[in-house]
Amino acid sequence: MILTVTLNTALDLTYRVRSLRPHASHRVSDVVERPGGKGVNVARVLAALGHEVTVTGFAGGGTGREVRERLSDTPGLTDALVPVAGATRRTVAVVDEQSGDTTQLNEPGPQIAPGEWGAFLDRYDELLPSASAVALCGSLPPGVPVGAYANLVRAARTAGVPVLLDTSGEPLRRGVAARPDLIKPNADELAELTGSHEPLRATQDARRRGAHAVVASLGAEGLLAVTPEGRWHATPPTRIHGNPTGAGDSAVAGLLSGLVEQLPWPDRLARAVALSAATVRAPAAGEFDPAVYEELRGRVTVTGVVSAA
């Protein structure tokens, strides 16, 4: 079983409009609703790949009930979310069909009480022994300690469970110091962590700060990996147009599934890039276009990278 942690779950709403213009009314051509939050997106992709996956984190209010009802329809996915008094947040993605751009609006999430945080820690400790790997993903809702991910990383390491961390800002900085097996920042998160805007140098610096391996997401330029086994740059064969929301989460699912299956790093990276690109072509986060994935995964280019000075 793969365990994904989403402390700030969401109900993701995706609106499609012909052209998004400020200060104007818009006619929405299509609406898609899905359970969301980074770890939930990761879990749905893992389940679609055939892995048994358990989702934990928080869910509350009417939005939380809807998230849990929708998760119950996903084969291979087990709901272990912890109930809270506050309402689960919503996120809104507005896709401009004319330009292909997406505008994202993210609510902060519910206030988590100390007793609710304690209940989550108990649930996490119960689930760890049966996990083959753990993904800690996304933002922290109000009330959760900023060092939460660092503590969860240490607990996974103590249990001997490989742990992937995908977050940003101070939670990432503290989490890296706890020595996770893998982190997957995007270019902006990596620059904020290290102070460097040169991807290879920044990725190497992030690894020196404590991460066992670092895979940086470079958007349309693919993934850059610095690991104990080597350094690689994986790129898609063509630029994919569509909605990028959730593409990074699909990359995490590809990396995590490759870890559990003990694939060589180049194969993990090729899978992650192909899944990410296939998600850009899908209508909603946490989904991927299987035909695009199958077509792309054998065409991803993975090349070795010489270390920066």
PDB file of all heavy atoms in Angstrom, residues 163-184:
ATOM      1  N   VAL A 163      10.086   8.085   1.924  1.00  0.00           N
ATOM      2  CA  VAL A 163       9.167   9.221   1.998  1.00  0.00           C
ATOM      3  C   VAL A 163       9.536  10.271   0.958  1.00  0.00           C
ATOM      4  O   VAL A 163      10.696  10.654   0.811  1.00  0.00           O
ATOM      5  CB  VAL A 163       9.149   9.815   3.425  1.00  0.00           C
ATOM      6  CG1 VAL A 163      10.540  10.213   3.890  1.00  0.00           C
ATOM      7  CG2 VAL A 163       8.185  10.992   3.521  1.00  0.00           C
ATOM      8  N   LEU A 164       8.524  10.724   0.220  1.00  0.00           N
ATOM      9  CA  LEU A 164       8.656  11.794  -0.769  1.00  0.00           C
ATOM     10  C   LEU A 164       7.966  13.027  -0.222  1.00  0.00           C
ATOM     11  O   LEU A 164       6.836  12.941   0.278  1.00  0.00           O
ATOM     12  CB  LEU A 164       8.023  11.361  -2.096  1.00  0.00           C
ATOM     13  CG  LEU A 164       8.101  12.327  -3.280  1.00  0.00           C
ATOM     14  CD1 LEU A 164       8.036  11.556  -4.604  1.00  0.00           C
ATOM     15  CD2 LEU A 164       6.967  13.376  -3.256  1.00  0.00           C
ATOM     16  N   LEU A 165       8.619  14.187  -0.337  1.00  0.00           N
ATOM     17  CA  LEU A 165       8.064  15.450   0.146  1.00  0.00           C
ATOM     18  C   LEU A 165       7.865  16.404  -1.023  1.00  0.00           C
ATOM     19  O   LEU A 165       8.793  16.651  -1.791  1.00  0.00           O
ATOM     20  CB  LEU A 165       9.005  16.072   1.180  1.00  0.00           C
ATOM     21  CG  LEU A 165       8.613  17.451   1.737  1.00  0.00           C
ATOM     22  CD1 LEU A 165       7.288  17.379   2.485  1.00  0.00           C
ATOM     23  CD2 LEU A 165       9.718  17.988   2.657  1.00  0.00           C
ATOM     24  N   ASP A 166       6.641  16.937  -1.153  1.00  0.00           N
ATOM     25  CA  ASP A 166       6.327  17.884  -2.217  1.00  0.00           C
ATOM     26  C   ASP A 166       5.534  19.040  -1.623  1.00  0.00           C
ATOM     27  O   ASP A 166       4.311  18.999  -1.528  1.00  0.00           O
ATOM     28  CB  ASP A 166       5.531  17.192  -3.327  1.00  0.00           C
ATOM     29  CG  ASP A 166       5.242  18.116  -4.509  1.00  0.00           C
ATOM     30  OD1 ASP A 166       5.913  19.161  -4.631  1.00  0.00           O
ATOM     31  OD2 ASP A 166       4.345  17.787  -5.314  1.00  0.00           O
ATOM     32  N   THR A 167       6.263  20.072  -1.197  1.00  0.00           N
ATOM     33  CA  THR A 167       5.632  21.249  -0.609  1.00  0.00           C
ATOM     34  C   THR A 167       6.504  22.454  -0.952  1.00  0.00           C
ATOM     35  O   THR A 167       7.366  22.367  -1.837  1.00  0.00           O
ATOM     36  CB  THR A 167       5.426  21.069   0.907  1.00  0.00           C
ATOM     37  OG1 THR A 167       4.658  22.163   1.417  1.00  0.00           O
ATOM     38  CG2 THR A 167       6.739  20.972   1.664  1.00  0.00           C
ATOM     39  N   SER A 168       6.320  23.568  -0.244  1.00  0.00           N
ATOM     40  CA  SER A 168       7.063  24.783  -0.587  1.00  0.00           C
ATOM     41  C   SER A 168       7.305  25.623   0.656  1.00  0.00           C
ATOM     42  O   SER A 168       6.784  25.339   1.734  1.00  0.00           O
ATOM     43  CB  SER A 168       6.289  25.595  -1.631  1.00  0.00           C
ATOM     44  OG  SER A 168       5.012  25.976  -1.119  1.00  0.00           O
ATOM     45  N   GLY A 169       8.109  26.678   0.494  1.00  0.00           N
ATOM     46  CA  GLY A 169       8.324  27.645   1.558  1.00  0.00           C
ATOM     47  C   GLY A 169       8.984  27.060   2.792  1.00  0.00           C
ATOM     48  O   GLY A 169       9.817  26.150   2.720  1.00  0.00           O
ATOM     49  N   GLU A 170       8.614  27.587   3.958  1.00  0.00           N
ATOM     50  CA  GLU A 170       9.220  27.147   5.218  1.00  0.00           C
ATOM     51  C   GLU A 170       8.939  25.677   5.533  1.00  0.00           C
ATOM     52  O   GLU A 170       9.834  24.987   6.036  1.00  0.00           O
ATOM     53  CB  GLU A 170       8.740  28.043   6.364  1.00  0.00           C
ATOM     54  CG  GLU A 170       9.467  27.815   7.685  1.00  0.00           C
ATOM     55  CD  GLU A 170      10.965  28.120   7.618  1.00  0.00           C
ATOM     56  OE1 GLU A 170      11.386  28.861   6.703  1.00  0.00           O
ATOM     57  OE2 GLU A 170      11.707  27.608   8.493  1.00  0.00           O
ATOM     58  N   PRO A 171       7.731  25.147   5.231  1.00  0.00           N
ATOM     59  CA  PRO A 171       7.539  23.705   5.445  1.00  0.00           C
ATOM     60  C   PRO A 171       8.519  22.858   4.641  1.00  0.00           C
ATOM     61  O   PRO A 171       8.985  21.818   5.120  1.00  0.00           O
ATOM     62  CB  PRO A 171       6.087  23.472   4.984  1.00  0.00           C
ATOM     63  CG  PRO A 171       5.419  24.780   5.238  1.00  0.00           C
ATOM     64  CD  PRO A 171       6.450  25.820   4.893  1.00  0.00           C
ATOM     65  N   LEU A 172       8.867  23.286   3.419  1.00  0.00           N
ATOM     66  CA  LEU A 172       9.860  22.557   2.625  1.00  0.00           C
ATOM     67  C   LEU A 172      11.243  22.698   3.246  1.00  0.00           C
ATOM     68  O   LEU A 172      11.986  21.717   3.368  1.00  0.00           O
ATOM     69  CB  LEU A 172       9.870  23.073   1.189  1.00  0.00           C
ATOM     70  CG  LEU A 172      10.963  22.493   0.276  1.00  0.00           C
ATOM     71  CD1 LEU A 172      10.833  20.975   0.156  1.00  0.00           C
ATOM     72  CD2 LEU A 172      10.900  23.155  -1.102  1.00  0.00           C
ATOM     73  N   ARG A 173      11.592  23.910   3.646  1.00  0.00           N
ATOM     74  CA  ARG A 173      12.923  24.142   4.230  1.00  0.00           C
ATOM     75  C   ARG A 173      13.138  23.260   5.468  1.00  0.00           C
ATOM     76  O   ARG A 173      14.186  22.623   5.606  1.00  0.00           O
ATOM     77  CB  ARG A 173      13.065  25.619   4.600  1.00  0.00           C
ATOM     78  CG  ARG A 173      14.470  26.044   5.016  1.00  0.00           C
ATOM     79  CD  ARG A 173      14.499  27.533   5.351  1.00  0.00           C
ATOM     80  NE  ARG A 173      13.952  28.323   4.264  1.00  0.00           N
ATOM     81  CZ  ARG A 173      14.645  28.685   3.188  1.00  0.00           C
ATOM     82  NH1 ARG A 173      15.902  28.321   3.066  1.00  0.00           N
ATOM     83  NH2 ARG A 173      14.090  29.418   2.250  1.00  0.00           N
ATOM     84  N   ARG A 174      12.150  23.211   6.329  1.00  0.00           N
ATOM     85  CA  ARG A 174      12.282  22.385   7.531  1.00  0.00           C
ATOM     86  C   ARG A 174      12.200  20.895   7.198  1.00  0.00           C
ATOM     87  O   ARG A 174      12.892  20.070   7.800  1.00  0.00           O
ATOM     88  CB  ARG A 174      11.197  22.761   8.539  1.00  0.00           C
ATOM     89  CG  ARG A 174      11.305  24.196   9.034  1.00  0.00           C
ATOM     90  CD  ARG A 174      10.486  24.407  10.278  1.00  0.00           C
ATOM     91  NE  ARG A 174      10.440  25.804  10.666  1.00  0.00           N
ATOM     92  CZ  ARG A 174      10.032  26.250  11.843  1.00  0.00           C
ATOM     93  NH1 ARG A 174       9.628  25.379  12.768  1.00  0.00           N
ATOM     94  NH2 ARG A 174      10.014  27.537  12.122  1.00  0.00           N
ATOM     95  N   GLY A 175      11.356  20.557   6.232  1.00  0.00           N
ATOM     96  CA  GLY A 175      11.209  19.161   5.850  1.00  0.00           C
ATOM     97  C   GLY A 175      12.468  18.584   5.242  1.00  0.00           C
ATOM     98  O   GLY A 175      12.830  17.428   5.501  1.00  0.00           O
ATOM     99  N   VAL A 176      13.170  19.372   4.430  1.00  0.00           N
ATOM    100  CA  VAL A 176      14.418  18.909   3.817  1.00  0.00           C
ATOM    101  C   VAL A 176      15.451  18.569   4.886  1.00  0.00           C
ATOM    102  O   VAL A 176      16.186  17.577   4.768  1.00  0.00           O
ATOM    103  CB  VAL A 176      14.968  19.977   2.851  1.00  0.00           C
ATOM    104  CG1 VAL A 176      16.406  19.666   2.454  1.00  0.00           C
ATOM    105  CG2 VAL A 176      14.105  20.060   1.605  1.00  0.00           C
ATOM    106  N   ALA A 177      15.502  19.365   5.930  1.00  0.00           N
ATOM    107  CA  ALA A 177      16.472  19.122   7.002  1.00  0.00           C
ATOM    108  C   ALA A 177      16.216  17.801   7.722  1.00  0.00           C
ATOM    109  O   ALA A 177      17.124  17.254   8.362  1.00  0.00           O
ATOM    110  CB  ALA A 177      16.435  20.277   8.000  1.00  0.00           C
ATOM    111  N   ALA A 178      14.984  17.259   7.605  1.00  0.00           N
ATOM    112  CA  ALA A 178      14.665  15.967   8.226  1.00  0.00           C
ATOM    113  C   ALA A 178      15.099  14.795   7.341  1.00  0.00           C
ATOM    114  O   ALA A 178      14.877  13.650   7.719  1.00  0.00           O
ATOM    115  CB  ALA A 178      13.173  15.888   8.522  1.00  0.00           C
ATOM    116  N   ARG A 179      15.677  15.062   6.175  1.00  0.00           N
ATOM    117  CA  ARG A 179      16.297  14.072   5.290  1.00  0.00           C
ATOM    118  C   ARG A 179      15.289  13.126   4.632  1.00  0.00           C
ATOM    119  O   ARG A 179      15.365  11.900   4.783  1.00  0.00           O
ATOM    120  CB  ARG A 179      17.388  13.281   6.015  1.00  0.00           C
ATOM    121  CG  ARG A 179      18.444  14.164   6.674  1.00  0.00           C
ATOM    122  CD  ARG A 179      19.580  13.368   7.253  1.00  0.00           C
ATOM    123  NE  ARG A 179      20.357  12.707   6.214  1.00  0.00           N
ATOM    124  CZ  ARG A 179      21.282  13.306   5.473  1.00  0.00           C
ATOM    125  NH1 ARG A 179      21.554  14.589   5.651  1.00  0.00           N
ATOM    126  NH2 ARG A 179      21.936  12.613   4.549  1.00  0.00           N
ATOM    127  N   PRO A 180      14.337  13.674   3.861  1.00  0.00           N
ATOM    128  CA  PRO A 180      13.434  12.795   3.104  1.00  0.00           C
ATOM    129  C   PRO A 180      14.187  12.058   1.998  1.00  0.00           C
ATOM    130  O   PRO A 180      15.256  12.498   1.553  1.00  0.00           O
ATOM    131  CB  PRO A 180      12.413  13.776   2.517  1.00  0.00           C
ATOM    132  CG  PRO A 180      13.169  15.066   2.413  1.00  0.00           C
ATOM    133  CD  PRO A 180      14.082  15.100   3.607  1.00  0.00           C
ATOM    134  N   ASP A 181      13.624  10.959   1.536  1.00  0.00           N
ATOM    135  CA  ASP A 181      14.260  10.197   0.462  1.00  0.00           C
ATOM    136  C   ASP A 181      14.224  10.960  -0.859  1.00  0.00           C
ATOM    137  O   ASP A 181      15.137  10.814  -1.686  1.00  0.00           O
ATOM    138  CB  ASP A 181      13.556   8.849   0.305  1.00  0.00           C
ATOM    139  CG  ASP A 181      13.748   7.970   1.520  1.00  0.00           C
ATOM    140  OD1 ASP A 181      14.732   7.210   1.554  1.00  0.00           O
ATOM    141  OD2 ASP A 181      12.931   8.062   2.454  1.00  0.00           O
ATOM    142  N   LEU A 182      13.185  11.764  -1.072  1.00  0.00           N
ATOM    143  CA  LEU A 182      13.038  12.486  -2.333  1.00  0.00           C
ATOM    144  C   LEU A 182      12.202  13.736  -2.115  1.00  0.00           C
ATOM    145  O   LEU A 182      11.207  13.704  -1.389  1.00  0.00           O
ATOM    146  CB  LEU A 182      12.355  11.579  -3.370  1.00  0.00           C
ATOM    147  CG  LEU A 182      11.984  12.191  -4.726  1.00  0.00           C
ATOM    148  CD1 LEU A 182      13.218  12.661  -5.473  1.00  0.00           C
ATOM    149  CD2 LEU A 182      11.209  11.175  -5.567  1.00  0.00           C
ATOM    150  N   ILE A 183      12.611  14.844  -2.746  1.00  0.00           N
ATOM    151  CA  ILE A 183      11.757  16.022  -2.825  1.00  0.00           C
ATOM    152  C   ILE A 183      11.547  16.351  -4.298  1.00  0.00           C
ATOM    153  O   ILE A 183      12.380  16.022  -5.154  1.00  0.00           O
ATOM    154  CB  ILE A 183      12.340  17.244  -2.076  1.00  0.00           C
ATOM    155  CG1 ILE A 183      13.677  17.704  -2.698  1.00  0.00           C
ATOM    156  CG2 ILE A 183      12.507  16.947  -0.592  1.00  0.00           C
ATOM    157  CD1 ILE A 183      14.166  19.043  -2.151  1.00  0.00           C
ATOM    158  N   LYS A 184      10.391  16.987  -4.608  1.00  0.00           N
ATOM    159  CA  LYS A 184      10.089  17.342  -5.988  1.00  0.00           C
ATOM    160  C   LYS A 184       9.599  18.785  -6.072  1.00  0.00           C
ATOM    161  O   LYS A 184       8.421  19.066  -6.274  1.00  0.00           O
ATOM    162  CB  LYS A 184       9.045  16.396  -6.596  1.00  0.00           C
ATOM    163  CG  LYS A 184       8.964  16.497  -8.119  1.00  0.00           C
ATOM    164  CD  LYS A 184       7.551  16.412  -8.639  1.00  0.00           C
ATOM    165  CE  LYS A 184       6.641  17.523  -8.281  1.00  0.00           C
ATOM    166  NZ  LYS A 184       6.944  18.825  -8.908  1.00  0.00           N
TER     167      LYS A 184
END
